[in-house]
PDB file of all heavy atoms in Angstrom:
ATOM      1  N   THR J1372      78.781 118.445  90.326  1.00 92.00           N
ATOM      2  CA  THR J1372      78.541 118.177  88.916  1.00 92.00           C
ATOM      3  C   THR J1372      77.400 119.083  88.413  1.00 92.00           C
ATOM      4  O   THR J1372      76.369 119.237  89.057  1.00 92.00           O
ATOM      5  CB  THR J1372      78.120 116.719  88.698  1.00 92.00           C
ATOM      6  OG1 THR J1372      79.223 115.865  89.057  1.00 92.00           O
ATOM      7  CG2 THR J1372      77.781 116.454  87.217  1.00 92.00           C
ATOM      8  N   ASN J1373      77.621 119.675  87.253  1.00 92.00           N
ATOM      9  CA  ASN J1373      76.601 120.514  86.622  1.00 92.00           C
ATOM     10  C   ASN J1373      75.733 119.687  85.707  1.00 92.00           C
ATOM     11  O   ASN J1373      76.206 118.735  85.081  1.00 92.00           O
ATOM     12  CB  ASN J1373      77.264 121.632  85.796  1.00 92.00           C
ATOM     13  CG  ASN J1373      77.890 122.709  86.669  1.00 92.00           C
ATOM     14  OD1 ASN J1373      77.174 123.536  87.212  1.00 92.00           O
ATOM     15  ND2 ASN J1373      79.185 122.672  86.792  1.00 92.00           N
ATOM     16  N   GLU J1374      74.461 120.037  85.617  1.00 90.00           N
ATOM     17  CA  GLU J1374      73.533 119.367  84.720  1.00 90.00           C
ATOM     18  C   GLU J1374      72.818 120.422  83.906  1.00 90.00           C
ATOM     19  O   GLU J1374      72.373 121.427  84.458  1.00 90.00           O
ATOM     20  CB  GLU J1374      72.524 118.561  85.518  1.00 90.00           C
ATOM     21  CG  GLU J1374      73.143 117.416  86.316  1.00 90.00           C
ATOM     22  CD  GLU J1374      72.097 116.616  87.044  1.00 90.00           C
ATOM     23  OE1 GLU J1374      71.087 116.292  86.421  1.00 90.00           O
ATOM     24  OE2 GLU J1374      72.261 116.382  88.250  1.00 90.00           O
ATOM     25  N   GLY J1375      72.717 120.178  82.621  1.00 89.00           N
ATOM     26  CA  GLY J1375      71.990 121.107  81.763  1.00 89.00           C
ATOM     27  C   GLY J1375      72.886 121.837  80.786  1.00 89.00           C
ATOM     28  O   GLY J1375      74.089 121.511  80.602  1.00 89.00           O
ATOM     29  N   GLU J1376      72.359 122.856  80.189  1.00 87.00           N
ATOM     30  CA  GLU J1376      73.034 123.593  79.127  1.00 87.00           C
ATOM     31  C   GLU J1376      73.933 124.688  79.689  1.00 87.00           C
ATOM     32  O   GLU J1376      74.801 125.189  78.985  1.00 87.00           O
ATOM     33  CB  GLU J1376      71.986 124.200  78.163  1.00 87.00           C
ATOM     34  CG  GLU J1376      71.075 123.151  77.558  1.00 87.00           C
ATOM     35  CD  GLU J1376      69.850 123.772  76.890  1.00 87.00           C
ATOM     36  OE1 GLU J1376      70.010 124.620  76.037  1.00 87.00           O
ATOM     37  OE2 GLU J1376      68.717 123.395  77.290  1.00 87.00           O
ATOM     38  N   TRP J1377      73.672 125.138  80.894  1.00 90.00           N
ATOM     39  CA  TRP J1377      74.449 126.188  81.532  1.00 90.00           C
ATOM     40  C   TRP J1377      75.234 125.626  82.711  1.00 90.00           C
ATOM     41  O   TRP J1377      74.737 124.797  83.426  1.00 90.00           O
ATOM     42  CB  TRP J1377      73.577 127.342  81.981  1.00 90.00           C
ATOM     43  CG  TRP J1377      72.934 128.095  80.874  1.00 90.00           C
ATOM     44  CD1 TRP J1377      73.285 128.045  79.551  1.00 90.00           C
ATOM     45  CD2 TRP J1377      71.853 129.031  80.935  1.00 90.00           C
ATOM     46  NE1 TRP J1377      72.492 128.876  78.777  1.00 90.00           N
ATOM     47  CE2 TRP J1377      71.624 129.506  79.635  1.00 90.00           C
ATOM     48  CE3 TRP J1377      71.093 129.506  82.013  1.00 90.00           C
ATOM     49  CZ2 TRP J1377      70.625 130.419  79.338  1.00 90.00           C
ATOM     50  CZ3 TRP J1377      70.125 130.436  81.711  1.00 90.00           C
ATOM     51  CH2 TRP J1377      69.867 130.903  80.408  1.00 90.00           C
ATOM     52  N   GLU J1378      76.438 126.148  82.930  1.00 91.00           N
ATOM     53  CA  GLU J1378      77.334 125.645  83.954  1.00 91.00           C
ATOM     54  C   GLU J1378      77.492 126.622  85.071  1.00 91.00           C
ATOM     55  O   GLU J1378      77.834 127.791  84.863  1.00 91.00           O
ATOM     56  CB  GLU J1378      78.678 125.320  83.297  1.00 91.00           C
ATOM     57  CG  GLU J1378      79.680 124.683  84.229  1.00 91.00           C
ATOM     58  CD  GLU J1378      80.972 124.274  83.548  1.00 91.00           C
ATOM     59  OE1 GLU J1378      80.922 124.008  82.300  1.00 91.00           O
ATOM     60  OE2 GLU J1378      82.012 124.270  84.200  1.00 91.00           O
ATOM     61  N   LEU J1379      77.262 126.144  86.319  1.00 94.00           N
ATOM     62  CA  LEU J1379      77.473 126.973  87.478  1.00 94.00           C
ATOM     63  C   LEU J1379      78.921 126.907  88.014  1.00 94.00           C
ATOM     64  O   LEU J1379      79.637 125.949  87.673  1.00 94.00           O
ATOM     65  CB  LEU J1379      76.496 126.517  88.575  1.00 94.00           C
ATOM     66  CG  LEU J1379      75.046 126.923  88.318  1.00 94.00           C
ATOM     67  CD1 LEU J1379      74.235 125.704  87.952  1.00 94.00           C
ATOM     68  CD2 LEU J1379      74.470 127.634  89.530  1.00 94.00           C
ATOM     69  N   PRO J1380      79.321 127.885  88.801  1.00 93.00           N
ATOM     70  CA  PRO J1380      80.674 127.835  89.346  1.00 93.00           C
ATOM     71  C   PRO J1380      80.916 126.600  90.203  1.00 93.00           C
ATOM     72  O   PRO J1380      79.984 126.026  90.752  1.00 93.00           O
ATOM     73  CB  PRO J1380      80.750 129.129  90.185  1.00 93.00           C
ATOM     74  CG  PRO J1380      79.671 130.005  89.696  1.00 93.00           C
ATOM     75  CD  PRO J1380      78.570 129.084  89.228  1.00 93.00           C
ATOM     76  N   GLU J1381      82.174 126.196  90.300  1.00 93.00           N
ATOM     77  CA  GLU J1381      82.519 125.067  91.140  1.00 93.00           C
ATOM     78  C   GLU J1381      82.240 125.409  92.619  1.00 93.00           C
ATOM     79  O   GLU J1381      82.271 126.566  93.020  1.00 93.00           O
ATOM     80  CB  GLU J1381      84.007 124.724  90.991  1.00 93.00           C
ATOM     81  CG  GLU J1381      84.359 124.124  89.646  1.00 93.00           C
ATOM     82  CD  GLU J1381      85.810 123.722  89.589  1.00 93.00           C
ATOM     83  OE1 GLU J1381      86.483 123.735  90.666  1.00 93.00           O
ATOM     84  OE2 GLU J1381      86.281 123.342  88.527  1.00 93.00           O
ATOM     85  N   ILE J1382      81.986 124.383  93.400  1.00 94.00           N
ATOM     86  CA  ILE J1382      81.861 124.530  94.840  1.00 94.00           C
ATOM     87  C   ILE J1382      83.238 124.395  95.447  1.00 94.00           C
ATOM     88  O   ILE J1382      83.901 123.381  95.239  1.00 94.00           O
ATOM     89  CB  ILE J1382      80.907 123.491  95.448  1.00 94.00           C
ATOM     90  CG1 ILE J1382      79.539 123.500  94.703  1.00 94.00           C
ATOM     91  CG2 ILE J1382      80.724 123.707  96.942  1.00 94.00           C
ATOM     92  CD1 ILE J1382      78.596 122.405  95.176  1.00 94.00           C
ATOM     93  N   GLU J1383      83.687 125.420  96.150  1.00 91.00           N
ATOM     94  CA  GLU J1383      85.046 125.425  96.723  1.00 91.00           C
ATOM     95  C   GLU J1383      85.014 124.895  98.133  1.00 91.00           C
ATOM     96  O   GLU J1383      84.367 125.443  99.038  1.00 91.00           O
ATOM     97  CB  GLU J1383      85.619 126.817  96.690  1.00 91.00           C
ATOM     98  CG  GLU J1383      85.815 127.369  95.296  1.00 91.00           C
ATOM     99  CD  GLU J1383      86.415 128.798  95.328  1.00 91.00           C
ATOM    100  OE1 GLU J1383      86.747 129.270  96.424  1.00 91.00           O
ATOM    101  OE2 GLU J1383      86.500 129.403  94.233  1.00 91.00           O
ATOM    102  N   PHE J1384      85.732 123.785  98.344  1.00 90.00           N
ATOM    103  CA  PHE J1384      85.781 123.141  99.655  1.00 90.00           C
ATOM    104  C   PHE J1384      87.124 123.408 100.311  1.00 90.00           C
ATOM    105  O   PHE J1384      88.149 123.454  99.629  1.00 90.00           O
ATOM    106  CB  PHE J1384      85.516 121.668  99.564  1.00 90.00           C
ATOM    107  CG  PHE J1384      84.117 121.294  99.130  1.00 90.00           C
ATOM    108  CD1 PHE J1384      83.843 120.960  97.811  1.00 90.00           C
ATOM    109  CD2 PHE J1384      83.075 121.315 100.022  1.00 90.00           C
ATOM    110  CE1 PHE J1384      82.589 120.658  97.382  1.00 90.00           C
ATOM    111  CE2 PHE J1384      81.809 121.006  99.622  1.00 90.00           C
ATOM    112  CZ  PHE J1384      81.566 120.676  98.322  1.00 90.00           C
ATOM    113  N   PRO J1385      87.160 123.513 101.648  1.00 84.00           N
ATOM    114  CA  PRO J1385      88.472 123.649 102.345  1.00 84.00           C
ATOM    115  C   PRO J1385      89.302 122.414 102.191  1.00 84.00           C
ATOM    116  O   PRO J1385      88.762 121.291 102.055  1.00 84.00           O
ATOM    117  CB  PRO J1385      88.079 123.919 103.787  1.00 84.00           C
ATOM    118  CG  PRO J1385      86.726 123.299 103.946  1.00 84.00           C
ATOM    119  CD  PRO J1385      86.041 123.483 102.596  1.00 84.00           C
ATOM    120  N   GLN J1386      90.610 122.538 102.246  1.00 79.00           N
ATOM    121  CA  GLN J1386      91.516 121.411 102.146  1.00 79.00           C
ATOM    122  C   GLN J1386      91.636 120.755 103.483  1.00 79.00           C
ATOM    123  O   GLN J1386      91.898 121.410 104.467  1.00 79.00           O
ATOM    124  CB  GLN J1386      92.868 121.859 101.616  1.00 79.00           C
ATOM    125  CG  GLN J1386      93.793 120.740 101.272  1.00 79.00           C
ATOM    126  CD  GLN J1386      95.033 121.228 100.509  1.00 79.00           C
ATOM    127  OE1 GLN J1386      95.080 122.366 100.088  1.00 79.00           O
ATOM    128  NE2 GLN J1386      96.007 120.376 100.361  1.00 79.00           N
ATOM    129  N   PRO J1387      91.498 119.452 103.565  1.00 82.00           N
ATOM    130  CA  PRO J1387      91.653 118.755 104.858  1.00 82.00           C
ATOM    131  C   PRO J1387      93.103 118.817 105.344  1.00 82.00           C
ATOM    132  O   PRO J1387      94.013 118.592 104.548  1.00 82.00           O
ATOM    133  CB  PRO J1387      91.217 117.318 104.554  1.00 82.00           C
ATOM    134  CG  PRO J1387      91.417 117.163 103.076  1.00 82.00           C
ATOM    135  CD  PRO J1387      91.138 118.497 102.490  1.00 82.00           C
ATOM    136  N   MET J1388      93.274 119.084 106.616  1.00 74.00           N
ATOM    137  CA  MET J1388      94.590 119.324 107.164  1.00 74.00           C
ATOM    138  C   MET J1388      95.152 118.186 107.995  1.00 74.00           C
ATOM    139  O   MET J1388      96.331 118.037 108.205  1.00 74.00           O
ATOM    140  CB  MET J1388      94.607 120.586 108.045  1.00 74.00           C
ATOM    141  CG  MET J1388      94.313 121.869 107.265  1.00 74.00           C
ATOM    142  SD  MET J1388      95.699 122.285 106.152  1.00 74.00           S
ATOM    143  CE  MET J1388      94.939 121.902 104.601  1.00 74.00           C
ATOM    144  N   VAL J1389      94.249 117.358 108.578  1.00 81.00           N
ATOM    145  CA  VAL J1389      94.695 116.332 109.519  1.00 81.00           C
ATOM    146  C   VAL J1389      94.715 114.968 108.807  1.00 81.00           C
ATOM    147  O   VAL J1389      93.713 114.582 108.177  1.00 81.00           O
ATOM    148  CB  VAL J1389      93.732 116.255 110.707  1.00 81.00           C
ATOM    149  CG1 VAL J1389      94.199 115.252 111.734  1.00 81.00           C
ATOM    150  CG2 VAL J1389      93.650 117.639 111.396  1.00 81.00           C
ATOM    151  N   GLY J1390      95.843 114.259 108.922  1.00 86.00           N
ATOM    152  CA  GLY J1390      95.965 113.005 108.183  1.00 86.00           C
ATOM    153  C   GLY J1390      96.517 111.888 109.034  1.00 86.00           C
ATOM    154  O   GLY J1390      97.297 112.103 110.002  1.00 86.00           O
ATOM    155  N   VAL J1391      96.085 110.696 108.705  1.00 90.00           N
ATOM    156  CA  VAL J1391      96.625 109.472 109.315  1.00 90.00           C
ATOM    157  C   VAL J1391      96.932 108.453 108.193  1.00 90.00           C
ATOM    158  O   VAL J1391      96.212 108.415 107.182  1.00 90.00           O
ATOM    159  CB  VAL J1391      95.676 108.820 110.347  1.00 90.00           C
ATOM    160  CG1 VAL J1391      95.549 109.689 111.570  1.00 90.00           C
ATOM    161  CG2 VAL J1391      94.282 108.558 109.737  1.00 90.00           C
ATOM    162  N   ALA J1392      97.979 107.708 108.393  1.00 92.00           N
ATOM    163  CA  ALA J1392      98.235 106.600 107.470  1.00 92.00           C
ATOM    164  C   ALA J1392      97.374 105.431 107.916  1.00 92.00           C
ATOM    165  O   ALA J1392      97.171 105.198 109.125  1.00 92.00           O
ATOM    166  CB  ALA J1392      99.712 106.211 107.532  1.00 92.00           C
ATOM    167  N   ILE J1393      96.811 104.698 106.953  1.00 94.00           N
ATOM    168  CA  ILE J1393      95.888 103.632 107.305  1.00 94.00           C
ATOM    169  C   ILE J1393      96.267 102.348 106.562  1.00 94.00           C
ATOM    170  O   ILE J1393      96.883 102.387 105.504  1.00 94.00           O
ATOM    171  CB  ILE J1393      94.426 104.014 106.974  1.00 94.00           C
ATOM    172  CG1 ILE J1393      94.254 104.260 105.481  1.00 94.00           C
ATOM    173  CG2 ILE J1393      93.997 105.249 107.769  1.00 94.00           C
ATOM    174  CD1 ILE J1393      92.793 104.425 105.056  1.00 94.00           C
ATOM    175  N   ARG J1394      95.797 101.264 107.105  1.00 92.00           N
ATOM    176  CA  ARG J1394      95.894  99.958 106.434  1.00 92.00           C
ATOM    177  C   ARG J1394      94.834  99.076 107.064  1.00 92.00           C
ATOM    178  O   ARG J1394      94.490  99.210 108.244  1.00 92.00           O
ATOM    179  CB  ARG J1394      97.302  99.342 106.608  1.00 92.00           C
ATOM    180  CG  ARG J1394      97.701  99.107 108.049  1.00 92.00           C
ATOM    181  CD  ARG J1394      99.138  98.638 108.146  1.00 92.00           C
ATOM    182  NE  ARG J1394      99.582  98.659 109.542  1.00 92.00           N
ATOM    183  CZ  ARG J1394     100.826  99.075 109.920  1.00 92.00           C
ATOM    184  NH1 ARG J1394     101.680  99.485 109.011  1.00 92.00           N
ATOM    185  NH2 ARG J1394     101.140  99.060 111.180  1.00 92.00           N
ATOM    186  N   PRO J1395      94.313  98.109 106.322  1.00 93.00           N
ATOM    187  CA  PRO J1395      93.303  97.199 106.874  1.00 93.00           C
ATOM    188  C   PRO J1395      93.963  96.243 107.869  1.00 93.00           C
ATOM    189  O   PRO J1395      95.098  95.839 107.675  1.00 93.00           O
ATOM    190  CB  PRO J1395      92.754  96.466 105.636  1.00 93.00           C
ATOM    191  CG  PRO J1395      93.864  96.566 104.635  1.00 93.00           C
ATOM    192  CD  PRO J1395      94.549  97.850 104.877  1.00 93.00           C
ATOM    193  N   LYS J1396      93.234  95.898 108.917  1.00 91.00           N
ATOM    194  CA  LYS J1396      93.790  94.960 109.877  1.00 91.00           C
ATOM    195  C   LYS J1396      94.007  93.587 109.251  1.00 91.00           C
ATOM    196  O   LYS J1396      94.940  92.868 109.625  1.00 91.00           O
ATOM    197  CB  LYS J1396      92.853  94.824 111.090  1.00 91.00           C
ATOM    198  CG  LYS J1396      92.847  96.015 112.016  1.00 91.00           C
ATOM    199  CD  LYS J1396      92.066  95.779 113.271  1.00 91.00           C
ATOM    200  CE  LYS J1396      92.148  96.979 114.189  1.00 91.00           C
ATOM    201  NZ  LYS J1396      91.370  96.764 115.458  1.00 91.00           N
ATOM    202  N   SER J1397      93.193  93.243 108.277  1.00 89.00           N
ATOM    203  CA  SER J1397      93.367  92.022 107.578  1.00 89.00           C
ATOM    204  C   SER J1397      93.815  92.289 106.127  1.00 89.00           C
ATOM    205  O   SER J1397      93.220  93.125 105.436  1.00 89.00           O
ATOM    206  CB  SER J1397      92.030  91.214 107.512  1.00 89.00           C
ATOM    207  OG  SER J1397      92.120  90.111 106.613  1.00 89.00           O
ATOM    208  N   ARG J1398      94.849  91.627 105.668  1.00 85.00           N
ATOM    209  CA  ARG J1398      95.390  91.897 104.347  1.00 85.00           C
ATOM    210  C   ARG J1398      94.366  91.496 103.272  1.00 85.00           C
ATOM    211  O   ARG J1398      94.411  91.949 102.150  1.00 85.00           O
ATOM    212  CB  ARG J1398      96.681  91.127 104.146  1.00 85.00           C
ATOM    213  CG  ARG J1398      97.765  91.505 105.118  1.00 85.00           C
ATOM    214  CD  ARG J1398      99.102  90.977 104.682  1.00 85.00           C
ATOM    215  NE  ARG J1398      99.666  91.736 103.579  1.00 85.00           N
ATOM    216  CZ  ARG J1398     100.895  91.486 103.089  1.00 85.00           C
ATOM    217  NH1 ARG J1398     101.648  90.535 103.607  1.00 85.00           N
ATOM    218  NH2 ARG J1398     101.330  92.198 102.050  1.00 85.00           N
ATOM    219  N   ASN J1399      93.441  90.629 103.621  1.00 87.00           N
ATOM    220  CA  ASN J1399      92.404  90.218 102.679  1.00 87.00           C
ATOM    221  C   ASN J1399      91.407  91.316 102.403  1.00 87.00           C
ATOM    222  O   ASN J1399      90.586  91.215 101.479  1.00 87.00           O
ATOM    223  CB  ASN J1399      91.649  88.992 103.221  1.00 87.00           C
ATOM    224  CG  ASN J1399      92.527  87.781 103.381  1.00 87.00           C
ATOM    225  OD1 ASN J1399      93.503  87.622 102.629  1.00 87.00           O
ATOM    226  ND2 ASN J1399      92.270  86.931 104.363  1.00 87.00           N
ATOM    227  N   ASP J1400      91.456  92.414 103.189  1.00 89.00           N
ATOM    228  CA  ASP J1400      90.474  93.507 103.050  1.00 89.00           C
ATOM    229  C   ASP J1400      90.984  94.664 102.235  1.00 89.00           C
ATOM    230  O   ASP J1400      90.348  95.726 102.184  1.00 89.00           O
ATOM    231  CB  ASP J1400      90.057  94.016 104.442  1.00 89.00           C
ATOM    232  CG  ASP J1400      89.162  93.043 105.147  1.00 89.00           C
ATOM    233  OD1 ASP J1400      88.477  92.266 104.474  1.00 89.00           O
ATOM    234  OD2 ASP J1400      89.053  93.126 106.397  1.00 89.00           O
ATOM    235  N   GLU J1401      92.141  94.516 101.548  1.00 86.00           N
ATOM    236  CA  GLU J1401      92.723  95.646 100.839  1.00 86.00           C
ATOM    237  C   GLU J1401      91.834  96.140  99.681  1.00 86.00           C
ATOM    238  O   GLU J1401      91.603  97.335  99.529  1.00 86.00           O
ATOM    239  CB  GLU J1401      94.114  95.275 100.294  1.00 86.00           C
ATOM    240  CG  GLU J1401      95.175  95.150 101.404  1.00 86.00           C
ATOM    241  CD  GLU J1401      96.561  94.886 100.871  1.00 86.00           C
ATOM    242  OE1 GLU J1401      96.698  94.736  99.658  1.00 86.00           O
ATOM    243  OE2 GLU J1401      97.512  94.867 101.684  1.00 86.00           O
ATOM    244  N   ALA J1402      91.277  95.192  98.927  1.00 86.00           N
ATOM    245  CA  ALA J1402      90.365  95.567  97.829  1.00 86.00           C
ATOM    246  C   ALA J1402      89.087  96.177  98.420  1.00 86.00           C
ATOM    247  O   ALA J1402      88.492  97.139  97.879  1.00 86.00           O
ATOM    248  CB  ALA J1402      90.054  94.371  96.939  1.00 86.00           C
ATOM    249  N   LYS J1403      88.628  95.625  99.512  1.00 91.00           N
ATOM    250  CA  LYS J1403      87.404  96.102 100.168  1.00 91.00           C
ATOM    251  C   LYS J1403      87.607  97.519 100.695  1.00 91.00           C
ATOM    252  O   LYS J1403      86.707  98.359 100.616  1.00 91.00           O
ATOM    253  CB  LYS J1403      87.058  95.136 101.326  1.00 91.00           C
ATOM    254  CG  LYS J1403      85.734  95.366 101.986  1.00 91.00           C
ATOM    255  CD  LYS J1403      85.509  94.324 103.040  1.00 91.00           C
ATOM    256  CE  LYS J1403      84.217  94.520 103.796  1.00 91.00           C
ATOM    257  NZ  LYS J1403      84.034  93.507 104.842  1.00 91.00           N
ATOM    258  N   LEU J1404      88.804  97.773 101.208  1.00 93.00           N
ATOM    259  CA  LEU J1404      89.127  99.132 101.707  1.00 93.00           C
ATOM    260  C   LEU J1404      89.063 100.166 100.605  1.00 93.00           C
ATOM    261  O   LEU J1404      88.526 101.227 100.786  1.00 93.00           O
ATOM    262  CB  LEU J1404      90.494  99.122 102.379  1.00 93.00           C
ATOM    263  CG  LEU J1404      90.993 100.493 102.880  1.00 93.00           C
ATOM    264  CD1 LEU J1404      90.081 101.022 103.959  1.00 93.00           C
ATOM    265  CD2 LEU J1404      92.455 100.364 103.396  1.00 93.00           C
ATOM    266  N   SER J1405      89.572  99.839  99.439  1.00 91.00           N
ATOM    267  CA  SER J1405      89.578 100.774  98.307  1.00 91.00           C
ATOM    268  C   SER J1405      88.137 101.140  97.972  1.00 91.00           C
ATOM    269  O   SER J1405      87.832 102.350  97.757  1.00 91.00           O
ATOM    270  CB  SER J1405      90.264 100.116  97.139  1.00 91.00           C
ATOM    271  OG  SER J1405      90.222 100.989  96.003  1.00 91.00           O
ATOM    272  N   ALA J1406      87.244 100.191  97.873  1.00 90.00           N
ATOM    273  CA  ALA J1406      85.849 100.477  97.520  1.00 90.00           C
ATOM    274  C   ALA J1406      85.178 101.317  98.611  1.00 90.00           C
ATOM    275  O   ALA J1406      84.435 102.232  98.341  1.00 90.00           O
ATOM    276  CB  ALA J1406      85.098  99.189  97.304  1.00 90.00           C
ATOM    277  N   ALA J1407      85.440 101.001  99.895  1.00 92.00           N
ATOM    278  CA  ALA J1407      84.836 101.750 100.999  1.00 92.00           C
ATOM    279  C   ALA J1407      85.304 103.182 101.038  1.00 92.00           C
ATOM    280  O   ALA J1407      84.532 104.091 101.279  1.00 92.00           O
ATOM    281  CB  ALA J1407      85.166 101.029 102.325  1.00 92.00           C
ATOM    282  N   LEU J1408      86.627 103.431 100.789  1.00 93.00           N
ATOM    283  CA  LEU J1408      87.157 104.769 100.770  1.00 93.00           C
ATOM    284  C   LEU J1408      86.574 105.596  99.612  1.00 93.00           C
ATOM    285  O   LEU J1408      86.342 106.786  99.744  1.00 93.00           O
ATOM    286  CB  LEU J1408      88.658 104.766 100.713  1.00 93.00           C
ATOM    287  CG  LEU J1408      89.387 104.186 101.923  1.00 93.00           C
ATOM    288  CD1 LEU J1408      90.881 104.086 101.657  1.00 93.00           C
ATOM    289  CD2 LEU J1408      89.134 105.054 103.145  1.00 93.00           C
ATOM    290  N   HIS J1409      86.325 104.945  98.506  1.00 92.00           N
ATOM    291  CA  HIS J1409      85.742 105.609  97.373  1.00 92.00           C
ATOM    292  C   HIS J1409      84.359 106.140  97.718  1.00 92.00           C
ATOM    293  O   HIS J1409      83.991 107.275  97.371  1.00 92.00           O
ATOM    294  CB  HIS J1409      85.646 104.656  96.178  1.00 92.00           C
ATOM    295  CG  HIS J1409      84.945 105.242  94.970  1.00 92.00           C
ATOM    296  ND1 HIS J1409      85.554 106.176  94.154  1.00 92.00           N
ATOM    297  CD2 HIS J1409      83.688 105.056  94.484  1.00 92.00           C
ATOM    298  CE1 HIS J1409      84.705 106.543  93.218  1.00 92.00           C
ATOM    299  NE2 HIS J1409      83.550 105.882  93.369  1.00 92.00           N
ATOM    300  N   LYS J1410      83.566 105.383  98.428  1.00 91.00           N
ATOM    301  CA  LYS J1410      82.242 105.821  98.891  1.00 91.00           C
ATOM    302  C   LYS J1410      82.366 107.013  99.845  1.00 91.00           C
ATOM    303  O   LYS J1410      81.591 107.970  99.724  1.00 91.00           O
ATOM    304  CB  LYS J1410      81.486 104.661  99.542  1.00 91.00           C
ATOM    305  CG  LYS J1410      81.019 103.592  98.618  1.00 91.00           C
ATOM    306  CD  LYS J1410      80.082 102.606  99.271  1.00 91.00           C
ATOM    307  CE  LYS J1410      80.720 101.774 100.312  1.00 91.00           C
ATOM    308  NZ  LYS J1410      79.796 100.749 100.855  1.00 91.00           N
TER     309      LYS J1410
END
């Protein structure tokens, strides 16, 4: 995020290549998982 009157170039990050499908062990944790992943 840029702050101020002038804007700097974006920071370019590599694209993640390794993936796994995930789900919470407890179905009651689905909302909790969303908040944790956001962090």
Side-chain angles (χ1 to χ4, degrees):
T1372 297
N1373 287 284
E1374 297 181 47
E1376 303 165 57
W1377 292 345
E1378 184 175 331
L1379 286 109
E1381 290 185 8
I1382 305 175
E1383 297 180 4
F1384 293 99
Q1386 189 169 348
M1388 295 292 107
V1389 182
V1391 290
I1393 63 171
R1394 60 186 169 221
K1396 286 187 177 179
S1397 171
R1398 301 193 74 177
N1399 296 328
D1400 286 338
E1401 289 185 356
K1403 188 177 177 182
L1404 176 62
S1405 178
L1408 292 174
H1409 176 74
K1410 288 192 291 186

